[in-house]
Amino acid sequence: GESCAADNPALSQAPRVWKKDAFEKGSLEVRGKSGDGKKIDRRITAGKPARVALASSNDLIADGRDISYIDLTLRDADGNRCYTTDGNVSLRVSGPARLGGPEKILVAAGLARVAIRSTGESGEIKVVATGDGLKSGELRIKASHSPTR
């Protein structure tokens, strides 16, 4: 890799801030020393966004009031979150739930969150997210009259 500070004494003084105009896919490793010994921290930088990943924390209670939050994450081909990517994603919900907002949403820093609400009916809910040049994401959750939380 490329060192940002090893050969530049000015960058070895606090505060340690390195500015880089463009991010590259790969990893960033920071090595340092503290009172209790060596410290190493590693971060992965993502490549070009390749897909939309969807996740939910819970199924729905089919009572017409329950809400489930759906997290959308833009990921590269290796599954890394694309922290520096903003864009639009379109959503489609089918089954016994309704989207609690617009069908087209802005993803900022690779993340967005939407809510879906139960219609009162039980059954399977399918959420599909699509974006230009991205593999679509799909999530299936259940709405039932007997809660499973």
Side-chain angles (χ1 to χ4, degrees):
E2 175 185 339
S3 174
C4 295
D7 298 328
N8 187 339
L11 292 177
S12 297
Q13 305 300 316
R16 293 169 182 87
V17 177
W18 298 277
K19 295 185 180 197
K20 190 163 182 157
D21 293 332
F23 285 91
E24 300 170 10
K25 181 180 176 178
S27 63
L28 173 68
E29 190 173 281
V30 179
R31 297 177 186 202
K33 293 181 181 178
S34 67
D36 61 349
K38 273 188 167 181
K39 299 287 183 183
I40 297 177
D41 193 15
R42 186 172 184 185
R43 298 285 187 248
I44 303 295
T45 54
K48 180 180 172 186
R51 65 183 177 94
V52 182
L54 300 174
S56 174
S57 59
N58 60 283
D59 288 335
L60 284 172
I61 300 170
D63 62 1
R65 298 180 311 232
D66 198 23
I67 292 174
S68 180
Y69 292 102
I70 309 295
D71 293 323
L72 292 83
T73 308
L74 299 183
R75 301 211 175 265
D76 69 4
D78 296 326
N80 300 308
R81 177 177 153 199
C82 298
Y83 287 92
T84 60
T85 303
D86 299 335
N88 291 306
V89 172
S90 296
L91 295 165
R92 189 174 68 248
V93 177
S94 59
R98 298 294 170 254
L99 186 61
E103 291 180 359
K104 191 170 196 174
I105 61 164
L106 175 65
V107 176
L111 290 176
R113 177 175 274 180
V114 297
I116 59 171
R117 180 183 297 273
S118 160
T119 62
E121 302 289 322
S122 62
E124 184 178 73
I125 301 160
K126 183 168 108 173
V127 181
V128 177
T130 58
D132 289 341
L134 301 173
K135 182 179 175 186
S136 62
E138 183 177 303
L139 177 69
R140 294 175 188 265
I141 61 176
K142 296 177 187 172
S144 63
H145 292 288
S146 52
T148 58
R149 293 183 198 166

